Amino acid sequence: VCSTWGNNHFKTFDGDIYQFPGVCEYNFASDCQGPYKEFSVHIQRDLNSRNHPQIQYILLTIKDFTVYLRPKLVVVDGRIVKTPYYSSGVLIESNDIYTKVYAKFGLVLIWNQEDALMVELDNKFNNHTCGLCGDYNGIPIYNEFINGGDYNSITYGNLQKISKPNAKCEDPDETQALPSCNDHRAECEKLLTSSAFADCRLRLNLEMYIQACMQDKCGCEGKQDSFCLCSTISEFSRQCSHAGGRPGEWRTQKFC
C-alpha cells in the first residue's frame, strides 16, 4: 500500500514516510518496467480555503482507459459518469466520504475526496513501479534519499513532476530543512498510544506516525484546528485496519 495524507505526508510501498509539499501534477505511482505502461496514477494538490493541503484531482490511466477524479465528480474517457460505474475490468464506487476504484489487474484506489489517498497494488508489480510511491522492491528506501544520502525528499519529489507546457507551479525549495518539532512529541505519543490503538502498535511502525504527527503540529503553528491533529491519526487508524488490526473508537464529539 502507498498512501498520502494530511500535511503532505507520503508513505511508500516499502513503508517509508516522508514529507513533500509540491503543488504541481506528480507521478504518484506508475508501472515503469517495459515499453507498455499497465497503469499510472497522477495527483495534484492545492491549498483549500483554510490553507490546508488537499488533493485537487487524481488522474488514473489504465492501459488506454482514463479516469479523472475530483471531489464528487468522476469522469471516464472525457465523459461524466454516475457511480457505481463498471467498464472493462474497472469498478468505480463513491459515497459521501470515499471514492474507490477497483481494477481487475490488481489495483485498488481509495480517496477520501480531501487530503488522503491510498493505492494498493498486487505484488506482481514488485520492483516495477516508480513515482512518489517508490520502487516497491521490498527494501525501505530511507537511506537512499532522505537520510543524508544523495537525495532529500524534496529533490526526490521534484523529480516526479509531470511536465506540462502551460503549468504554472513552483518547485518546492530543496534546501529547506524540516523544523525540529520535539515540543510536540509527548502529545503525539499520547494520542497514538491511546487504548483505542492497542491492537495497532505491533502492526505498524509507530515512530513514523509520531514523527508525522509532530510535523503536523509544527506546521500548524499552534492553531488548534482538527486538520493538524486528525489527519495523521486518521491515517494511522486506516493503516491499522488495513494491516488486519481493529482500532477502537477514537473519535469523540469533541475530537476529530
Side-chain angles (χ1 to χ4, degrees):
V1 178
C2 172
S3 59
T4 182
W5 72 93
N7 192 16
N8 303 302
H9 299 292
F10 290 83
K11 175 184 156 296
T12 67
F13 288 121
D14 296 326
D16 284 311
I17 292 181
Y18 66 95
Q19 255 183 314
F20 173 66
V23 290
C24 304
E25 183 179 308
Y26 300 95
N27 174 16
F28 184 65
S30 299
D31 165 23
C32 297
Q33 298 292 330
Y36 189 71
K37 266 190 189 168
E38 192 148 358
F39 75 93
S40 68
V41 181
H42 293 178
I43 63 170
Q44 177 146 1
R45 267 200 169 85
D46 60 1
L47 294 174
N48 67 12
S49 55
R50 290 163 61 194
N51 225 23
H52 294 314
Q54 63 179 13
I55 296 170
Q56 188 185 355
Y57 67 80
I58 298 167
L59 184 61
L60 168 65
T61 309
I62 297 167
K63 298 198 167 122
D64 306 322
F65 184 82
T66 63
V67 179
Y68 174 75
L69 304 173
R70 284 186 94 101
K72 314 252 181 292
L73 179 71
V74 177
V75 180
V76 175
D77 287 340
R79 285 199 345 259
I80 295 178
V81 300
K82 281 202 170 79
T83 58
Y85 175 88
Y86 183 78
S87 172
S88 48
V90 178
L91 170 65
I92 306 169
E93 295 179 342
S94 60
N95 59 27
D96 288 346
I97 304 172
Y98 287 104
T99 298
K100 301 182 182 183
V101 181
Y102 303 89
K104 216 178 200 162
F105 69 82
L107 175 146
V108 179
L109 179 151
I110 301 174
W111 177 35
N112 71 350
Q113 303 186 36
E114 291 176 11
D115 64 301
L117 167 67
M118 193 186 260
V119 170
E120 185 179 351
L121 266 193
D122 189 280
N123 57 15
K124 71 180 181 196
F125 291 104
N126 282 141
N127 251 335
H128 274 237
T129 64
C130 61
L132 294 167
C133 288
D135 57 9
Y136 194 11
N137 67 355
I139 305 160
I141 47 178
Y142 197 76
N143 295 328
E144 284 169 39
F145 78 93
I146 300 178
N147 207 1
D150 300 339
Y151 285 3
N152 67 24
S153 57
I154 308 281
T155 313
Y156 181 77
N158 286 339
L159 285 171
Q160 315 307 322
K161 182 162 92 172
I162 305 297
S163 51
K164 297 163 86 179
N166 51 0
K168 292 182 174 57
C169 64
E170 294 291 312
D171 285 346
D173 178 2
E174 294 175 11
T175 58
Q176 265 182 323
L178 286 174
S180 157
C181 300
N182 279 335
D183 302 356
H184 301 294
R185 183 170 191 97
E187 182 183 8
C188 288
E189 238 171 44
K190 185 172 166 230
L191 288 165
L192 288 163
T193 55
S194 76
S195 57
F197 294 127
D199 195 26
C200 304
R201 262 172 260 179
L202 299 174
R203 297 172 191 273
L204 300 175
N205 182 330
L206 181 65
E207 178 59 27
M208 286 183 167
Y209 293 94
I210 291 172
Q211 292 290 339
C213 167
M214 285 157 59
Q215 293 293 344
D216 291 349
K217 289 292 289 175
C218 260
C220 282
E221 293 154 349
K223 288 201 294 285
Q224 281 301 329
D225 77 16
S226 63
F227 183 87
C228 308
L229 270 181
C230 303
S231 54
T232 288
I233 298 170
S234 304
E235 179 68 10
F236 186 68
S237 180
R238 281 190 290 266
Q239 293 282 347
C240 174
S241 303
H242 193 273
R246 304 186 82 140
E249 276 299 326
W250 57 274
R251 295 177 188 275
T252 66
Q253 287 298 317
K254 294 196 177 82
F255 184 71
C256 298

